[in-house]
Amino acid sequence: MLYFGKQIIEISFALWHLPESLPRGLRGTTFSKMSASITGLLKPWTPRVFLVRWSRYNPYYLEPEPRKEVYHIPETELTPEQKEERELKSVRPIKAATNSVTSSVFNDPVLSKFVNMMMKDGDKIIAKGIITQTLENMKRKQVEKYHKAPEGKKAEIECNPYAIFHQALENCKPVIGLASIQKGGKFYQVPIPLTDNRRRFLAMKWMITECRDNKHRRTLMYEKLSQELLAAFSKEGNVVKRKHELHKMAESNRAYAHYRWW
Amino acid sequence: MELETRPETFSIFRTQENDPACQSEQHLGQYYTVPPSHFHTVFPHGLPPRYQQQVKTFNEGCVMVRQPALELISHLKRADYSKPTLRYLLYGVKGSGKTMSLCHTVHYCSTQGWLVLHIPDAHLWVKNCKELLPSSYHASRFDQPIQASNWLRNFRTTNEHFLSKIKLRQRYVWTKRESTEEGRPLGELVDMGVSRVKSSSDVVGAVLKELRLQAGGTEGGFRLAVAVDGVNGLWGRTTLKKEDKSPVAPEELTLVHNLRKMINNDWCGGAVIATLSQTGSLYAPSSAYLPQELLGEEGFDSMDPFVPVPVSLYSEKEFESCYLYYLDRHWLQHSHSQTEEGKKEMIFLSNRNPSVLERLCAFL
């Protein structure tokens, strides 16, 4: 059973009692004026209009579990921790899952992150469409090459678009980054280590900006993106060039490395 | 583009029987290869665009043998061609394989030596026309030179060998100085239509009339197959406008007028095979797929009586076959798509609809 979540404001727990008069689907941004009487403040209350942007779930709520394998383990094979967890889940309320988590076997977190980064104005449908077209285009090019290649060369051609995507992203990730540190009135570009998340973010960001800026007016995004990903897979192209330039800058500035204090 | 010929290997989803005439129920669900030599002559313009891309990628053109196509072929084999033409209508939900079944039948007709008149999409003639010339032959009608000349070019590619054999039975006068005499071969008429774009719509009308007259003839008789995709476009409304912004009715287009005469069953010696299509249709709701809904009153009355051939979604066997074919051609690349879980998910997401499955497998 596939599990797609929806964002709902669930504030129906005992201490956070929802008065019946509160209308649904609120997107208010201002608190209404509280009544002057003190008696109104003594009972558990919720403001009439609820801020959505900075709201968070009551910490009592538990995270949802979208993976199917967890639910298929039979009763007998559960470890004591898992049994305890299951009992806890049967009494505690659970947060609603967001739209991006699925129990599908084809779910890929790195690809979802890439889709989110490519998204403009919250239009995930268009971003996801572009990515699927890109994957299809890459696969088509590679499969065509595969079918036309002689027997000996067939094993070397990588046809899996997901493998190409992951490898291309790996090839674009910088190993070392630069930070602007102020010392003695001047700003120096100091080489610093990068966390994994930062490296992945930089690789994706460079890929997307490269495809948005350096393409011909008539080339479609998916076409340019597939060209760039295939080039990055074989370590050519503008994005790996940018990574190499960053590495060279860091190498040339290694004298300032001791300006880093963390 | 060169299509490869492969050495014969045994597989459960392929059949070696590449001749549509010899295919039977035992080949249901299996893929047969259209021989590469036939491909460009038989199908210059009939195939769906995604299928054409697939043929280019896989380097071979494989068509699945399905129930509607086999039914049509068996009707064509047993029909009496001295009686007025039978009209067959393929209908089904969007993406269920109507155009592919039509192309399978067209391949059969072409291997049997019939003359095939394949109109790839009748909707292309009632919308998006840049040039609409008033017809010289009839005052109130409109000509579409680009569409007509394109179609004539493709017609010439499909039926090369017939063009020199069929002789005209009437003299056609195009302008004060140009005319085509009686007894000239049809090829000359078609060449004239392709080169003189202005009169190409009238040339199309003339070609259709000649073929209609000569199809059932005893001397040098050939069988004529009229294959029309998206036949519901011939009745209904168009999106074309005259210069005074009033809408053009389909009857006022020469091409549509002549094609409607072809679809009438007042001639003998052939068959009319048509497909309904909601995808390119104008002013039809997207959930409509039945003949009554898509043809409208006028269309249904003109097509009546016809033999309806329903095209359904893939059965389990056909789905298996399609899945194995994609695996064989290295099209399903995602590691999970090759597992049972992934296959179940694909069935769920596509509901066994052929085109939805194809689009799903494209990025998996």
Side-chain angles (χ1 to χ4, degrees), chain B residues 81-82 169 211-223 268-269:
Chain B
Y81 290 105
S82 54
R169 286 199 189 155
L211 292 174
R212 207 164 53 234
L213 289 173
Q214 296 191 21
T218 38
E219 72 310 320
F222 56 90
R223 296 221 185 122
C268 49

Side-chain angles (χ1 to χ4, degrees), chain B residues 110-322:
Chain B
S110 144
T111 48
Q112 296 293 303
W114 293 32
L115 201 156
V116 172
L117 219 72
H118 190 31
I119 288 111
D121 194 358
H123 293 297
L124 294 175
W125 290 356
V126 300
K127 58 180 179 174
N128 298 344
C129 180
K130 299 273 162 56
E131 283 180 27
L132 207 63
L133 303 173
S135 164
S136 47
Y137 182 67
H138 200 276
S140 59
R141 287 201 213 133
F142 293 94
D143 269 358
Q144 285 153 301
I146 318 171
Q147 275 90 340
S149 53
N150 273 339
W151 184 79
L152 278 173
R153 212 171 298 129
N154 289 325
F155 174 73
R156 192 170 48 183
T157 335
T158 330
N159 300 307
E160 289 283 1
H161 52 281
F162 276 108
L163 294 179
S164 40
K165 278 197 264 169
I166 302 176
K167 306 279 180 233
L168 300 178
R169 286 199 189 155
Q170 199 194 319
R171 182 167 180 264
Y172 294 99
V173 179
W174 305 116
T175 55
K176 264 188 272 194
R177 268 161 277 173
E178 276 172 32
S179 63
T180 318
E181 301 300 324
E182 206 177 306
R184 306 294 302 161
L186 195 68
E188 218 184 87
L189 194 60
V190 175
D191 287 329
M192 215 215 78
V194 174
S195 49
R196 299 226 182 281
V197 182
K198 268 207 158 157
S199 47
S200 49
S201 315
D202 294 320
V203 167
V204 171
V207 162
L208 293 183
K209 184 168 160 192
E210 284 297 317
L211 292 174
R212 207 164 53 234
L213 289 173
Q214 296 191 21
T218 38
E219 72 310 320
F222 56 90
R223 296 221 185 122
L224 180 62
V226 181
V228 189
D229 206 328
V231 77
N232 49 320
L234 298 179
W235 297 278
R237 293 155 67 183
T238 69
T239 42
L240 305 173
K241 294 213 167 54
K242 298 180 214 158
E243 266 138 23
D244 53 356
K245 308 281 173 88
S246 59
V248 174
E251 301 78 55
E252 292 173 20
L253 294 167
T254 345
L255 289 172
V256 173
H257 181 86
N258 291 320
L259 195 55
R260 280 196 197 179
K261 282 197 267 187
M262 228 28 209
I263 297 187
N264 268 340
N265 56 352
D266 50 7
W267 53 283
C268 49
V272 175
I273 313 154
T275 316
L276 290 178
S277 164
Q278 196 282 327
T279 324
S281 69
L282 299 162
Y283 307 104
S286 58
S287 55
Y289 70 96
L290 296 167
Q292 181 75 31
E293 296 164 349
L294 282 175
L295 286 171
E297 283 232 25
E298 206 193 320
F300 200 86
D301 291 331
S302 323
M303 283 293 284
D304 211 11
F306 60 85
V307 178
V309 183
V311 181
S312 56
L313 305 175
Y314 277 159
S315 64
E316 283 176 19
K317 184 173 168 204
E318 288 171 338
F319 179 87
E320 276 301 317
S321 182
C322 186

Side-chain angles (χ1 to χ4, degrees), chain A:
Chain A
M1 184 196 60
L2 283 176
Y3 180 59
F4 291 99
K6 269 196 155 169
Q7 260 181 341
I8 324 166
I9 311 294
E10 277 282 354
I11 26 177
S12 56
F13 182 67
L15 286 178
W16 294 59
H17 177 67
L18 194 72
E20 260 77 48
S21 57
L22 200 68
R24 302 184 87 201
L26 293 175
R27 287 191 181 256
T29 50
T30 50
F31 279 108
S32 55
K33 296 225 176 83
M34 283 176 250
S35 103
S37 69
I38 300 174
T39 43
L41 293 170
L42 288 177
K43 61 175 191 280
W45 67 279
T46 339
R48 220 166 162 251
V49 173
F50 202 82
L51 281 171
V52 168
R53 188 181 292 277
W54 297 287
S55 66
R56 59 163 195 169
Y57 272 108
N58 186 347
Y60 205 68
Y61 280 64
L62 303 172
E63 295 289 332
E65 178 59 71
R67 294 170 301 155
K68 275 190 276 206
E69 305 84 55
V70 173
Y71 299 106
H72 288 323
I73 312 172
E75 285 289 328
T76 43
E77 285 175 31
L78 293 174
T79 59
E81 291 96 26
Q82 279 175 327
K83 284 203 181 101
E84 230 183 272
E85 210 186 301
R86 283 233 182 150
E87 276 173 32
L88 190 64
K89 285 208 167 185
S90 61
V91 280
R92 292 269 202 105
I94 304 188
K95 295 183 195 178
T98 54
N99 278 331
S100 49
V101 303
T102 66
S103 62
S104 158
V105 288
F106 304 121
N107 188 24
D108 187 358
V110 179
L111 206 62
S112 312
K113 188 59 88 179
F114 195 73
V115 170
N116 286 341
M117 285 189 66
M118 181 158 303
M119 176 165 63
K120 277 189 186 177
D121 297 329
D123 212 332
K124 184 106 95 177
I125 302 176
I126 296 186
K128 183 96 181 112
I130 294 174
I131 301 293
T132 48
Q133 282 170 328
T134 312
L135 293 169
E136 187 192 329
N137 202 321
M138 284 199 295
K139 192 170 33 155
R140 240 177 240 286
K141 287 186 193 166
Q142 294 296 98
V143 170
E144 215 177 311
K145 242 197 288 183
Y146 181 92
H147 285 307
K148 295 205 171 117
E151 284 302 326
K153 299 277 176 64
K154 283 201 182 195
E156 294 161 2
I157 301 177
E158 174 64 62
C159 292
N160 188 347
Y162 295 86
I164 297 177
F165 175 77
H166 287 122
Q167 186 55 46
L169 221 55
E170 276 301 319
N171 292 349
C172 294
K173 283 186 187 174
V175 170
I176 192 167
L178 290 174
S180 190
I181 293 181
Q182 190 187 22
K183 189 108 174 165
K186 270 174 54 171
F187 285 90
Y188 298 95
Q189 293 293 317
V190 176
I192 54 160
L194 297 171
T195 60
D196 263 332
N197 276 346
R198 177 76 187 157
R199 294 169 64 212
R200 188 185 64 174
F201 170 78
L202 280 174
M204 291 186 185
K205 189 79 183 168
W206 290 342
M207 181 63 77
I208 294 174
T209 38
E210 158 68 36
C211 292
R212 279 184 185 159
D213 301 336
N214 296 352
K215 68 177 174 78
H216 181 62
R217 178 183 63 91
R218 294 286 298 254
T219 330
L220 296 173
M221 183 67 178
Y222 73 86
E223 178 62 50
K224 174 74 182 174
L225 193 54
S226 62
Q227 283 165 8
E228 277 303 323
L229 283 170
L230 282 169
F233 178 70
S234 36
K235 301 206 180 143
E236 305 151 350
N238 286 347
V239 194
V240 287
K241 202 167 84 162
R242 189 166 169 178
K243 172 189 89 156
H244 289 321
E245 274 165 18
L246 180 66
H247 285 176
K248 276 185 222 156
M249 277 289 286
E251 180 62 35
S252 66
N253 281 12
R254 30 184 302 183
Y256 302 123
H258 63 283
Y259 284 173
R260 181 172 67 94
W261 65 84
W262 64 88

